[in-house]
mmCIF file of all heavy atoms in Angstrom:
data_model
loop_
_atom_site.group_PDB
_atom_site.id
_atom_site.type_symbol
_atom_site.label_atom_id
_atom_site.label_comp_id
_atom_site.label_asym_id
_atom_site.label_seq_id
_atom_site.Cartn_x
_atom_site.Cartn_y
_atom_site.Cartn_z
ATOM 1 N N VAL A 129 155.452 122.779 -48.519
ATOM 2 C CA VAL A 129 156.346 121.640 -48.286
ATOM 3 C C VAL A 129 156.557 121.487 -46.781
ATOM 4 O O VAL A 129 156.646 122.497 -46.069
ATOM 5 C CB VAL A 129 157.705 121.845 -48.983
ATOM 6 C CG1 VAL A 129 158.576 120.610 -48.907
ATOM 7 C CG2 VAL A 129 157.533 122.268 -50.446
ATOM 8 N N CYS A 130 156.645 120.233 -46.306
ATOM 9 C CA CYS A 130 156.869 120.019 -44.868
ATOM 10 C C CYS A 130 158.358 120.062 -44.553
ATOM 11 O O CYS A 130 159.142 119.377 -45.196
ATOM 12 C CB CYS A 130 156.284 118.669 -44.449
ATOM 13 S SG CYS A 130 156.624 118.307 -42.720
ATOM 14 N N ARG A 131 158.707 120.855 -43.547
ATOM 15 C CA ARG A 131 160.122 120.953 -43.132
ATOM 16 C C ARG A 131 160.615 119.646 -42.532
ATOM 17 O O ARG A 131 161.817 119.372 -42.581
ATOM 18 C CB ARG A 131 160.269 122.046 -42.069
ATOM 19 C CG ARG A 131 160.684 123.354 -42.651
ATOM 20 C CD ARG A 131 161.138 124.343 -41.614
ATOM 21 N NE ARG A 131 160.640 125.676 -41.968
ATOM 22 C CZ ARG A 131 161.075 126.375 -43.007
ATOM 23 N NH1 ARG A 131 162.071 125.915 -43.764
ATOM 24 N NH2 ARG A 131 160.546 127.538 -43.314
ATOM 25 N N SER A 132 159.727 118.833 -41.969
ATOM 26 C CA SER A 132 160.191 117.591 -41.317
ATOM 27 C C SER A 132 160.222 116.409 -42.282
ATOM 28 O O SER A 132 161.246 115.764 -42.404
ATOM 29 C CB SER A 132 159.250 117.236 -40.150
ATOM 30 O OG SER A 132 159.205 118.298 -39.269
ATOM 31 N N CYS A 133 159.094 116.125 -42.971
ATOM 32 C CA CYS A 133 159.082 114.906 -43.798
ATOM 33 C C CYS A 133 159.252 115.198 -45.281
ATOM 34 O O CYS A 133 159.325 114.272 -46.083
ATOM 35 C CB CYS A 133 157.791 114.113 -43.558
ATOM 36 S SG CYS A 133 156.289 114.871 -44.218
ATOM 37 N N SER A 148 148.978 125.477 -41.139
ATOM 38 C CA SER A 148 150.428 125.713 -41.140
ATOM 39 C C SER A 148 151.194 124.438 -40.754
ATOM 40 O O SER A 148 152.432 124.455 -40.722
ATOM 41 C CB SER A 148 150.779 126.838 -40.159
ATOM 42 O OG SER A 148 150.465 126.416 -38.846
ATOM 43 N N ARG A 149 150.463 123.353 -40.445
ATOM 44 C CA ARG A 149 151.132 122.112 -40.009
ATOM 45 C C ARG A 149 150.924 120.994 -41.034
ATOM 46 O O ARG A 149 149.882 120.923 -41.690
ATOM 47 C CB ARG A 149 150.531 121.638 -38.667
ATOM 48 C CG ARG A 149 150.873 122.541 -37.506
ATOM 49 C CD ARG A 149 152.251 122.179 -36.952
ATOM 50 N NE ARG A 149 152.877 123.348 -36.359
ATOM 51 C CZ ARG A 149 154.180 123.468 -36.124
ATOM 52 N NH1 ARG A 149 155.002 122.483 -36.409
ATOM 53 N NH2 ARG A 149 154.683 124.560 -35.610
ATOM 54 N N CYS A 150 151.918 120.118 -41.154
ATOM 55 C CA CYS A 150 151.837 119.000 -42.075
ATOM 56 C C CYS A 150 150.715 118.045 -41.676
ATOM 57 O O CYS A 150 150.676 117.605 -40.515
ATOM 58 C CB CYS A 150 153.172 118.241 -42.062
ATOM 59 S SG CYS A 150 153.176 116.735 -43.012
ATOM 60 N N CYS A 153 152.674 114.504 -40.616
ATOM 61 C CA CYS A 153 153.573 114.337 -39.460
ATOM 62 C C CYS A 153 153.503 115.506 -38.477
ATOM 63 O O CYS A 153 154.171 115.475 -37.453
ATOM 64 C CB CYS A 153 155.007 114.135 -39.949
ATOM 65 S SG CYS A 153 155.815 115.662 -40.471
ATOM 66 N N GLY A 154 152.727 116.529 -38.800
ATOM 67 C CA GLY A 154 152.603 117.661 -37.856
ATOM 68 C C GLY A 154 153.728 118.671 -37.974
ATOM 69 O O GLY A 154 153.741 119.666 -37.253
ATOM 70 N N GLY A 155 154.679 118.417 -38.892
ATOM 71 C CA GLY A 155 155.815 119.352 -39.062
ATOM 72 C C GLY A 155 155.364 120.697 -39.612
ATOM 73 O O GLY A 155 154.234 120.852 -40.076
ATOM 74 N N GLU A 156 156.289 121.651 -39.555
ATOM 75 C CA GLU A 156 155.960 123.010 -40.042
ATOM 76 C C GLU A 156 155.963 123.028 -41.567
ATOM 77 O O GLU A 156 156.875 122.490 -42.219
ATOM 78 C CB GLU A 156 157.018 123.970 -39.510
ATOM 79 C CG GLU A 156 156.716 125.426 -39.787
ATOM 80 C CD GLU A 156 157.971 126.301 -39.660
ATOM 81 O OE1 GLU A 156 159.014 125.795 -39.178
ATOM 82 O OE2 GLU A 156 157.911 127.461 -40.054
ATOM 83 N N LEU A 157 154.938 123.648 -42.160
ATOM 84 C CA LEU A 157 154.876 123.776 -43.626
ATOM 85 C C LEU A 157 155.467 125.104 -44.062
ATOM 86 O O LEU A 157 155.345 126.104 -43.342
ATOM 87 C CB LEU A 157 153.425 123.691 -44.095
ATOM 88 C CG LEU A 157 152.708 122.359 -43.895
ATOM 89 C CD1 LEU A 157 151.244 122.491 -44.311
ATOM 90 C CD2 LEU A 157 153.375 121.240 -44.668
ATOM 91 N N TYR A 158 156.086 125.130 -45.213
ATOM 92 C CA TYR A 158 156.598 126.398 -45.734
ATOM 93 C C TYR A 158 156.373 126.458 -47.242
ATOM 94 O O TYR A 158 156.155 125.428 -47.889
ATOM 95 C CB TYR A 158 158.082 126.571 -45.393
ATOM 96 C CG TYR A 158 159.019 125.684 -46.192
ATOM 97 C CD1 TYR A 158 159.708 126.170 -47.297
ATOM 98 C CD2 TYR A 158 159.218 124.353 -45.846
ATOM 99 C CE1 TYR A 158 160.562 125.359 -48.045
ATOM 100 C CE2 TYR A 158 160.073 123.532 -46.570
ATOM 101 C CZ TYR A 158 160.743 124.052 -47.659
ATOM 102 O OH TYR A 158 161.573 123.231 -48.377
#
Side-chain angles (χ1 to χ4, degrees):
V129 187
C130 176
R131 265 193 220 290
S132 304
C133 71
S148 65
R149 292 276 151 199
C150 174
C153 77
E156 187 198 351
L157 294 175
Y158 73 99

